[in-house]
Amino acid sequence: MDKSSALEYINQMFPTEASLSGVEPLMQKIHSEIRRVDAGILAAVRQQSNSGTKAKEDLAAATHAVQELMYKIREIKSKAEQSEAMVQEICRDIKKLDFAKKHITTTITALHRLTMLVSAVEQLQVMASKRQYKEAAAQLEAVNQLCSHFEAYRDVPKINELREKFKNIKKILKSHVFSDFSSLGTGKETEEANLLQHLSDACLVVDALEPSVREELVKNFCNKELISYQQIFEGAELAKLDKTERRYAWIKRRLRTNEEIWKIFPPAWHVDYLLCIQFCKLTRSQLVDILNNLKEKPDVATLLSALQRTLEFEEELAKKFSGGTTNSRSREYGDDVDDVDEGENSNKRIVSDIQKKYEKKLALHRGGGTEQEDKQKELLIPGAGFNFRGIISSCFEVHLTVYVELEEKTLMEHLEKLVQEETWETEEGSQTNILSSSMQVFLIIRKSLKRCASLTKNQTLFNLFEVFKRILRSYATKLYARLPKGGTGIVAAATGTDGQIKTSDRDERMICYIVNTAEYCHQTSGELAENVSKIIESQFAEKIDISDVQDEFSAVITKALLTLVYGLETKFDAEMIAMTRVPWANLESVGDQSEYVNGIISILTSSIPALGNLLSPTYFQFFLDKLAASLGPRFYLNIYKCKQISETGAQQMLLDTQAVKTILLEIPALGKQATVVAGYSKFVNREMSKAEALLKVILSPIESVGDTYRALIPEGTPLEFQRILDLKGLKKVDQQSLMEDFNKHNTGIKHHSMAPTVMTPAPAPPTIPTLAPTSTSSSTTTMPGGAIVSREDVLARAAALGRGAATIGFKRFLALTEAAKDRKDGPFRKLFNP
């Protein structure tokens, strides 16, 4: 410790004078501790001194041991070198003797083999001259093996001489064999009993010769066999498409009658297999010439018959030369297309296939199928890699357009007949609620697909798929055309009924059936495309697309649902007119809901249950959203069309509004589809609250009407406010001060006249966009009560009344006439004068 720390420690130990009495004991304790530490240091120094001496002794001992080890290693190494030199000296003479023995043995073996080769070649020459094929075949194998031992002695003259002699003998054998085989098929085999055995022995010689000899012999044999076929079927009489089946009968008969004779060929040669390949190539060439030389389009029945017989023949060959496997075209097709057809027959087939499969496995397990397996293995062609399927039939592909045209014509005729016979009602007790014609359409399409897939899975099947798409588009067009249409013509335009769709209860049911049918067609057409892509060849599978057809059925669904909404809107027309004709200014008391409300309720209660029962929840939701989007704003705007409204009238109208709102909220329950309630209820409450807010403004006192209007309808315009003052029955003079006060509070804010915003929740079907009303004219017109409104305002209000369609052309003209009905003068008034 430093000086200051020592002083602090002493002061801490002896803080007072009295504590100094403990100095002596503390000093004694410190001295004893010093003595103990000194003793420990001394003992440690002595121990360290002893340890250093011992370590030096150990190091010296280890160094001596290493030196001794190195000496012993050098001694062992020198002794090993001496031993190696001694062994080499002993084995030097033995190695020379070993090489000598090896060379002598090789020489003796070579001379012995040479003797055997010379003898074998001489014997083979004698056998060849006497045509002793069986013995010559064995001798050929022996000579070939002996020659292989002398490959390294090509520069020896004697060896070269023997090799040339052997080569000449093989040429002689080849010429003899070819000469003898030329008599096969001439009838000599029946006259000479030993000829077949002689030729069978010749086959052994051919096997012993080069593989090219066997190929040449088989090729010559096949060409000879097909000469008569070529002569027969190139004649004018049989060179016709309808004689195709006779071609296959000829080769089958040939294979059957010559089966015993052709047994002279070894099974490994596969002569019948190679003959069939040559036959197929020749037949294809002749059929191509026949099809190309036709002066007019081939008869479809004849063409399909020839193709069917060709496919059956190819299938027979494929089974015959593939060991009897069952992967036939019909089985391949059945695995994919039969999935589309559900029924008892398909279930029985599946059960039968499974049963056969496990019976076969059980037989193999018990060893019962060993003999059959061996026979099939003999029939298999190793490494052939030849596919009989399509070798002939593929030439028909480019000529099958007439077949596709006939299928399209037939399908169109069936479609027309089905649509004509359609009752547009579902069968009693049906659970699907779809039109029977749609199921029949897909039934005939599946039959057509099955027919085509049994013939071809290439370009023709793809072309037929395009035909299916045209058929389905045509059916979608017919469904679309069946939907009720609005009124057309000058009379309808003049009376304001242009585009109005009138629907009966039967029409509403039919529209629901069309919606369900279009949905069924949308789903089933997708399944059709999926199944076609599975069975068609891979190069066409990626081109299979039916989305454009599905889009057309989606458009039919959307149009049908909107037609339902338009039909109900038309039914509401009379009730909306009745609402404007009620003397709201003269009502003395508030009573039950008005008659026009009862009419609206009656319309909804008579139509909604049937629609809810027939439509799926998705489409019923779409329908309800569109209905609420139409009826809510229409009811709101219809209030403006009324004459003067007293306070009692406004209270009665508020009661009616609540009743309409209630029935709209009860529509999901009427349709027995409660799953659509949540979002729909919010939508109805929002739309009907606008009408309630308007009536509350009308009920407000004169002095606070402006503040109430701004509070309840913040998006309101001065023109609408002026119309509210007209509804309250205020005169122009009284309105002026209120309008000035209203405009003061709205300075700097520009309001554009517009129809109330209609929000449509996102439904599943695609929606048709509603265009916002536009106008470039600045002309004005007079509303009932003397209010001056712009033409844009007239168009906007009329657009909402006219289902949001009054934007272009004749619709705009019609909107103006609709808004002008209540005017006393103006250019459009004369349309309504008697």
Side-chain angles (χ1 to χ4, degrees):
M1 291 186 296
D2 56 18
K3 186 177 181 181
S4 59
S5 298
L7 290 176
E8 290 177 0
Y9 176 74
I10 292 171
N11 290 332
Q12 184 179 358
M13 293 297 293
F14 306 103
T16 61
E17 186 177 352
S19 61
L20 293 176
S21 59
V23 170
E24 192 62 31
L26 178 61
M27 291 297 292
Q28 292 177 359
K29 182 179 178 182
I30 291 173
H31 283 304
S32 64
E33 181 67 21
I34 290 172
R35 285 193 297 271
R36 187 183 64 79
V37 171
D38 287 342
I41 291 172
L42 181 61
V45 170
R46 289 174 179 170
Q47 184 179 0
Q48 184 64 31
S49 176
N50 294 334
S51 297
T53 304
K54 187 178 180 180
K56 288 179 181 179
E57 292 175 355
D58 292 341
L59 179 60
T63 303
H64 180 70
V66 170
Q67 289 175 354
E68 288 183 354
L69 179 62
M70 291 297 293
Y71 173 75
K72 290 180 180 180
I73 290 174
R74 284 195 296 271
E75 187 178 358
I76 292 171
K77 185 175 180 181
S78 63
K79 289 181 179 180
E81 290 174 352
Q82 293 173 5
S83 300
E84 184 180 2
M86 186 182 299
V87 170
Q88 287 179 354
E89 184 70 22
I90 294 172
C91 294
R92 183 178 298 131
D93 296 335
I94 295 175
K95 192 172 184 182
K96 290 179 182 179
L97 293 172
D98 185 58
F99 280 128
K101 179 184 177 182
K102 183 177 179 182
H103 293 323
I104 291 172
T105 304
T106 304
T107 303
I108 293 172
T109 304
L111 290 172
H112 180 65
R113 286 174 178 172
L114 180 60
T115 305
M116 292 173 62
L117 178 61
V118 172
S119 174
V121 169
E122 290 176 353
Q123 292 176 13
L124 181 62
Q125 189 172 16
V126 173
M127 293 173 185
S129 61
K130 293 181 179 181
R131 301 196 179 192
Q132 297 174 349
Y133 293 133
K134 189 172 184 179
E135 295 78 4
Q139 196 69 8
L140 269 173
E141 291 289 344
V143 173
N144 282 327
Q145 290 181 7
L146 289 171
C147 285
S148 64
H149 293 296
F150 292 96
E151 287 293 328
Y153 303 98
R154 286 180 175 272
D155 54 341
V156 178
K158 181 61 177 179
I159 299 299
N160 282 334
E161 181 183 344
L162 286 172
R163 292 177 69 88
E164 288 297 324
K165 187 175 181 179
F166 179 52
K167 191 179 295 183
N168 292 332
I169 294 172
K170 288 197 290 186
K171 289 181 180 179
I172 294 171
L173 281 171
K174 177 182 175 182
S175 63
H176 287 344
V177 169
F178 275 57
S179 174
D180 291 345
F181 266 100
S182 63
S183 62
L184 185 64
T186 59
K188 289 185 179 181
E189 59 269 13
T190 58
E191 298 174 2
E192 301 178 16
N194 296 327
L195 179 60
L196 294 180
Q197 182 60 44
H198 187 65
L199 293 178
S200 179
D201 295 341
C203 292
L204 299 177
V205 173
V206 173
D207 272 336
L209 295 172
E210 290 80 6
S212 60
V213 177
R214 186 184 70 182
E215 293 174 3
E216 184 180 352
L217 178 64
V218 173
K219 184 177 180 181
N220 291 342
F221 171 76
C222 293
N223 291 336
K224 181 180 177 182
E225 286 290 325
L226 293 175
I227 287 175
S228 60
Y229 168 76
Q230 196 167 2
Q231 292 172 347
I232 293 171
F233 288 96
E234 280 186 351
E237 183 180 352
L238 295 179
K240 296 179 181 178
L241 201 59
D242 55 353
K243 306 296 182 183
T244 305
E245 187 174 5
R246 297 183 63 177
R247 296 173 177 269
Y248 309 134
W250 182 91
I251 188 64
K252 290 177 187 176
R253 186 168 58 252
R254 195 73 176 170
L255 290 170
R256 187 170 57 252
T257 55
N258 293 329
E259 184 177 3
E260 290 298 324
I261 297 175
W262 291 352
K263 284 184 178 179
I264 63 174
F265 298 110
W269 286 21
H270 308 295
V271 174
D272 53 350
Y273 169 76
L274 297 172
L275 177 63
C276 289
I277 291 178
Q278 289 295 103
F279 170 82
C280 291
K281 291 180 178 179
L282 180 58
T283 302
R284 175 187 172 88
S285 175
Q286 292 182 351
L287 287 177
V288 168
D289 292 337
I290 293 172
L291 290 169
N292 290 337
N293 293 332
L294 291 175
K295 296 180 180 179
E296 56 185 15
K297 289 184 177 181
D299 178 63
V300 177
T302 304
L303 183 67
L304 293 184
S305 176
L307 177 57
Q308 187 64 41
R309 298 296 172 267
T310 302
L311 290 170
E312 291 172 359
F313 176 68
E314 291 174 350
E315 192 62 35
E316 289 178 16
L317 293 182
K319 288 183 179 181
K320 178 180 178 64
F321 297 113
S322 63
T325 54
T326 58
N327 54 342
S328 64
R329 291 175 68 93
S330 59
R331 176 60 56 86
E332 290 172 0
Y333 179 69
D335 291 342
D336 295 321
V337 177
D338 288 349
D339 292 342
V340 183
D341 298 320
E342 297 177 358
E344 186 177 354
N345 292 335
S346 62
N347 291 334
K348 288 181 178 178
R349 181 182 63 77
I350 293 170
V351 172
S352 175
D353 288 347
I354 293 173
Q355 184 177 359
K356 289 179 181 177
K357 173 183 176 182
Y358 283 97
E359 284 177 355
K360 185 183 292 185
K361 283 187 176 182
L362 184 61
L364 292 175
H365 180 68
R366 292 176 177 175
T370 307
E371 183 179 351
Q372 185 68 22
E373 272 189 359
D374 293 339
K375 290 182 179 179
Q376 288 188 1
K377 286 180 181 178
E378 291 178 2
L379 294 173
L380 292 176
I381 294 85
F386 191 84
N387 185 11
F388 281 100
R389 296 185 181 94
I391 183 175
I392 305 174
S393 58
S394 57
C395 71
F396 289 88
E397 192 74 35
V398 295
H399 301 278
L400 287 176
T401 52
V402 290
Y403 162 68
V404 176
E405 292 170 358
L406 179 62
E407 284 284 356
E408 183 170 11
K409 180 182 177 183
T410 305
L411 290 173
M412 272 303 177
E413 290 174 353
H414 276 96
L415 177 62
E416 294 293 339
K417 184 179 179 181
L418 288 172
V419 173
Q420 289 175 3
E421 295 176 352
E422 180 60 70
T423 61
W424 303 100
E425 291 279 356
T426 60
E427 297 179 3
E428 187 174 353
S430 174
Q431 299 295 323
T432 56
N433 292 324
I434 62 176
L435 300 173
S436 61
S437 59
S438 63
M439 292 183 283
Q440 293 298 320
V441 166
F442 280 101
L443 181 61
I444 61 175
I445 285 177
R446 285 168 182 157
K447 289 180 178 179
S448 176
L449 174 61
K450 196 167 186 177
R451 285 195 298 271
C452 182
S454 66
L455 300 174
T456 174
K457 298 178 182 179
N458 291 293
Q459 182 68 47
T460 302
L461 182 56
F462 180 75
N463 294 341
L464 188 64
F465 176 72
E466 293 296 319
V467 169
F468 295 158
K469 291 171 64 175
R470 291 194 288 272
I471 296 297
L472 292 174
R473 276 196 290 266
S474 177
Y475 186 63
T477 303
K478 294 183 183 300
L479 292 178
Y480 191 93
R482 188 65 186 181
L483 295 172
K485 303 294 188 298
T488 58
I490 298 177
V491 175
T495 56
T497 59
D498 181 26
Q500 290 186 352
I501 299 174
K502 295 182 179 180
T503 56
S504 61
D505 292 343
R506 185 179 184 278
D507 290 335
E508 290 176 352
R509 289 198 306 274
M510 181 192 70
I511 294 170
C512 292
Y513 296 147
I514 290 176
V515 169
N516 296 333
T517 300
E519 181 183 15
Y520 166 77
C521 293
H522 183 284
Q523 179 180 355
T524 311
S525 58
E527 296 172 357
L528 172 67
E530 183 179 350
N531 281 282
V532 172
S533 64
K534 286 181 180 179
I535 63 176
I536 202 168
E537 293 296 335
S538 56
Q539 63 265 31
F540 297 100
E542 295 181 356
K543 300 179 183 178
I544 299 299
D545 181 22
I546 206 167
S547 57
D548 53 341
V549 175
Q550 292 178 313
D551 290 343
E552 293 203 21
F553 283 114
S554 296
V556 171
I557 293 172
T558 303
K559 177 62 178 177
L561 293 173
L562 292 176
T563 302
L564 273 181
V565 176
Y566 296 160
L568 278 179
E569 284 183 356
T570 303
K571 290 183 179 181
F572 292 145
D573 286 349
E575 311 307 327
M576 292 294 111
I577 294 173
M579 175 182 173
T580 61
R581 292 178 179 174
V582 173
W584 300 106
N586 301 326
L587 289 181
E588 297 180 356
S589 61
V590 178
D592 292 336
Q593 58 195 29
S594 304
E595 284 300 319
Y596 74 90
V597 176
N598 293 333
I600 293 174
I601 294 174
S602 176
I603 292 169
L604 293 175
T605 53
S606 64
S607 297
I608 295 301
L611 301 182
N613 185 45
L614 295 175
L615 293 177
S616 66
T618 300
Y619 297 125
F620 190 65
Q621 171 80 60
F622 178 83
F623 164 74
L624 291 187
D625 291 339
K626 289 296 180 183
L627 181 63
S630 167
L631 187 56
R634 188 177 183 188
F635 187 87
Y636 172 79
L637 291 172
N638 213 50
I639 296 175
Y640 284 107
K641 296 185 68 176
C642 296
K643 305 296 183 181
Q644 183 178 344
I645 302 175
S646 65
E647 182 177 349
T648 304
Q651 292 175 353
Q652 179 64 47
M653 194 177 289
L654 195 59
L655 179 66
D656 295 343
T657 303
Q658 188 62 36
V660 172
K661 177 181 176 180
T662 301
I663 187 62
L664 285 177
L665 291 174
E666 291 176 354
I667 284 180
L670 287 174
K672 297 180 180 179
Q673 296 200 18
T675 56
V676 301
V677 170
Y680 171 74
S681 299
K682 294 179 181 178
F683 191 61
V684 171
N685 286 327
R686 184 173 64 249
E687 292 301 324
M688 295 306 295
S689 64
K690 298 177 183 178
E692 293 174 347
L694 176 60
L695 293 172
K696 289 177 182 178
V697 173
I698 295 174
L699 280 170
S700 62
I702 298 296
E703 59 275 9
S704 61
V705 66
D707 296 335
T708 306
Y709 180 74
R710 283 188 295 272
L712 296 180
I713 310 178
E715 72 279 4
T717 65
L719 292 176
E720 291 175 348
F721 181 66
Q722 186 177 9
R723 178 58 187 146
I724 290 174
L725 297 180
D726 291 338
L727 291 175
K728 290 180 71 67
L730 294 178
K731 296 180 180 180
K732 294 294 182 183
V733 178
D734 298 332
Q735 292 181 14
Q736 187 173 358
S737 61
L738 293 173
M739 287 299 299
E740 290 175 356
D741 182 64
F742 180 82
N743 289 329
K744 279 182 183 180
H745 288 83
N746 288 272
T747 54
I749 303 175
K750 294 183 179 180
H751 296 276
H752 300 280
S753 179
M754 62 177 68
T757 303
V758 177
M759 290 185 63
T760 306
T767 58
I768 297 178
T770 302
L771 300 176
T774 58
S775 176
T776 56
S777 174
S778 59
S779 59
T780 59
T781 186
T782 305
M783 291 289 288
I788 306 298
V789 295
S790 66
R791 182 181 176 188
E792 290 84 345
D793 189 53
V794 173
L795 285 175
R797 297 174 187 279
L801 292 171
R803 297 183 266 316
T807 57
I808 55 173
F810 216 129
K811 295 286 186 181
R812 176 169 294 180
F813 166 78
L814 190 54
L816 289 172
T817 59
E818 183 76 18
K821 285 183 181 180
D822 296 325
R823 291 181 54 186
K824 296 181 180 179
D825 55 5
F828 297 109
R829 182 59 201 170
K830 59 185 178 180
L831 292 172
F832 308 102
N833 289 335

